[in-house]
Amino acid sequence: MIKKNFIEFSFDDDIENDEETVPDFKKFQTLNSAEQYYLADNYNWDDGTIVLDWIINSPKCDKGTACLIFWRAEPDYYYDYTAETIESYQADVWHLLQKIVERFKKDDFKASKFEFIPAKEGYKTDWEIKLDIWKFPTELNNGIKGKKPFGFGL
């Protein structure tokens, strides 16, 4: 169900008729937090940020899932930009990253059971951050300890 509805869904676009495929939000709402983690872990960023935004805005979103999305977005690329200076084609990812930072600052995620440790995943986490909007809690930088959901749903 996850692969059919949310992984590489844009490949179904009808280019001849300029019809863009949009995933079904009602189906997304049926996913539990483990399925959201799995989706984020396997998501094709070429599909844009719509599904990732749904995950981050979901009350079911786990801290580990948000951490995974944050680091997969390669946030260091965006550290020198503000809402006013980011190019429009990069704005969706910039805004997604800022939502994650804000939710971490507010300690707004209900659960923290899924693991994502950026350093263990090969991400450099000691970037120099000059803009206050990019100063985020240590927890997001160090990662979330927990369990890795097993693969299912394809």
Side-chain angles (χ1 to χ4, degrees):
M1 195 279 273
I2 292 173
K3 182 176 182 183
K4 179 181 177 195
N5 292 287
F6 303 107
I7 306 289
E8 299 177 346
F9 61 85
S10 68
F11 295 163
D12 294 332
D13 287 354
D14 186 349
I15 297 170
E16 291 179 16
N17 295 319
D18 290 332
E19 289 184 29
E20 185 177 342
T21 302
V22 178
D24 186 337
F25 183 67
K26 288 186 183 209
K27 286 182 182 173
F28 169 79
Q29 290 177 309
T30 68
L31 300 181
N32 63 38
S33 60
E35 291 166 327
Q36 287 182 358
Y37 184 101
Y38 180 83
L39 172 56
D41 192 27
N42 291 280
Y43 192 73
N44 184 337
W45 286 71
D46 290 339
D47 282 332
T49 62
I50 186 170
V51 172
L52 300 171
D53 277 314
W54 291 349
I55 294 170
I56 293 304
N57 292 327
S58 170
K60 299 175 193 174
C61 183
D62 185 87
K63 276 186 180 182
T65 305
C67 190
L68 177 150
I69 292 170
F70 183 82
W71 288 102
R72 292 273 172 89
E74 301 286 344
D76 55 293
Y77 176 82
Y78 299 89
Y79 288 165
D80 292 330
Y81 296 100
T82 65
E84 294 77 32
T85 62
I86 192 75
E87 295 287 339
S88 60
Y89 71 92
Q90 300 165 322
D92 288 346
V93 175
W94 187 93
H95 287 291
L96 176 69
L97 290 168
Q98 281 298 303
K99 285 180 204 172
I100 295 168
V101 168
E102 287 307 310
R103 285 201 67 191
F104 265 89
K105 284 181 179 177
K106 293 177 184 177
D107 195 26
D108 193 30
F109 294 101
K110 305 254 187 273
S112 180
K113 58 186 173 185
F114 302 128
E115 180 172 296
F116 188 84
I117 311 292
K120 279 175 59 175
E121 299 289 333
Y123 292 94
K124 180 179 176 188
T125 60
D126 59 350
W127 298 98
E128 181 182 352
I129 296 174
K130 299 173 188 166
L131 300 172
D132 285 343
I133 59 171
W134 290 110
K135 296 199 176 176
F136 46 82
T138 305
E139 183 179 35
L140 181 54
N141 197 61
N142 292 342
I144 307 302
K145 292 184 179 177
K147 295 181 178 181
K148 284 268 195 180
F150 58 88
F152 60 93
L154 285 179

